[in-house]
Amino acid sequence: MPRSARLARPHQYYHIYNRGTNHQLIYKDKEDYQKFLNKLKQTTETYDWKIYTYCLLPNHYHLQIKTEKDKLGKIIQSLQTSHAIYFNRKHQHLGPIFQNRFHSVLIQEGEYFLYLSKYIHLNPVKSKLVNNPEDYLYSSYQTYLNHKNTKGIIDTRSIKVLLGKQTKKNIKKYRQFIDSPDKNTDYIYSEKNAKRGIFGTTRFRSQFE
């Protein structure tokens, strides 16, 4: 079956994710996570795109991004290929480590984009890796709480899109948003709700379908 065309346009917001082949681990230790994060930072210096949130879990990853001039496929291919070469060499593994090219979901800005950040930052809790999202070391949530810089992967301009200025008031507000139960189900992100690879209003989807 031929692959379906990917929605990859400049100046658009996306949820990017991928999993290990047969749900195998793609990060086995701290060094594996750090290598991926180092490469992720390198892509922000090499390519024209913006990263807003990220989360690396043992057998998959999530990125919340905006495309600019460079093609999305080229960026993610570089990221995944680099990690696969490193992983196979270190762990004496043969064959691909990612199950496919990668998944991309086009996201409407505003509330839809905000709730995607909540979905990504809560992934370690849903996966029962930690009880509190701020305790997880391999996500961008600590950056939003101003706990650490995460080596420049996310810049202040990206943070302002979701948080505004990193004032104590805005940090507290965002933390409450992450911790509170969802009231407006229209904005709750899930792969199921992302119909045909698009997450947003009916009017927004109609522009691309």
Side-chain angles (χ1 to χ4, degrees):
M1 180 180 295
R3 290 177 173 178
S4 59
R6 185 189 299 283
L7 283 170
R9 304 188 180 194
H11 314 299
Q12 298 293 333
Y13 297 102
Y14 288 90
H15 174 211
I16 306 298
Y17 62 98
N18 208 350
R19 299 182 175 88
T21 303
N22 298 320
H23 297 278
Q24 73 176 27
L25 298 180
I26 56 176
Y27 316 105
K28 289 188 175 183
D29 55 35
K30 292 181 179 179
E31 184 182 20
D32 293 352
Y33 286 102
Q34 193 57 54
K35 283 287 186 179
F36 192 93
L37 290 175
N38 290 344
K39 180 62 179 180
L40 194 59
K41 180 182 183 298
Q42 184 181 331
T43 65
T44 66
E45 300 167 348
T46 306
Y47 300 104
D48 189 15
W49 73 327
K50 290 184 175 65
I51 301 173
Y52 295 89
T53 69
Y54 66 83
C55 187
L56 314 184
L57 297 105
N59 64 2
H60 66 288
Y61 70 81
H62 295 277
L63 303 174
Q64 182 174 9
I65 64 98
K66 183 181 181 182
T67 54
E68 297 294 351
K69 295 180 182 179
D70 289 317
K71 291 184 178 181
L72 182 59
K74 182 179 181 180
I75 301 171
I76 303 302
Q77 181 182 15
S78 172
L79 180 67
Q80 292 191 169
T81 299
S82 175
H83 188 70
I85 292 173
Y86 154 79
F87 185 93
N88 284 349
R89 183 180 298 152
K90 176 183 176 182
H91 298 290
Q92 298 182 340
H93 178 270
L94 296 177
I97 67 170
F98 293 103
Q99 69 176 10
N100 48 37
R101 44 184 181 167
F102 67 92
H103 298 276
S104 63
V105 178
L106 182 64
I107 309 294
Q108 186 172 350
E109 61 183 319
E111 294 295 313
Y112 291 94
F113 194 67
L114 178 63
Y115 271 78
L116 171 60
S117 77
K118 182 173 184 174
Y119 169 84
I120 290 176
H121 284 152
L122 284 177
N123 243 260
V125 177
K126 294 178 180 177
S127 299
K128 298 182 179 179
L129 296 173
V130 291
N131 292 323
N132 300 302
E134 65 188 272
D135 294 332
Y136 195 65
L137 297 178
Y138 308 112
S139 89
S140 53
Y141 190 50
Q142 291 186 348
T143 300
Y144 279 82
L145 300 184
N146 209 19
H147 288 179
K148 57 170 60 177
N149 186 285
T150 62
K151 301 186 183 301
I153 294 173
I154 301 170
D155 62 27
T156 54
R157 293 170 298 176
S158 297
I159 291 173
K160 285 182 179 179
V161 171
L162 294 173
L163 186 68
K165 292 184 178 180
Q166 276 186 300
T167 62
K168 290 182 179 180
K169 180 179 179 181
N170 286 344
I171 291 172
K172 181 180 179 181
K173 185 177 179 181
Y174 187 70
R175 185 199 292 267
Q176 290 174 339
F177 167 70
I178 296 296
D179 292 339
S180 64
D182 293 316
K183 295 180 180 179
N184 193 333
T185 57
D186 292 339
Y187 298 124
I188 297 175
Y189 181 85
S190 70
E191 294 176 26
K192 183 179 181 181
N193 290 341
K195 299 177 181 178
R196 297 184 182 181
I198 304 174
F199 184 59
T201 62
T202 301
R203 182 178 180 180
F204 177 77
R205 292 198 304 270
S206 68
Q207 298 178 52
F208 301 95
E209 289 179 331

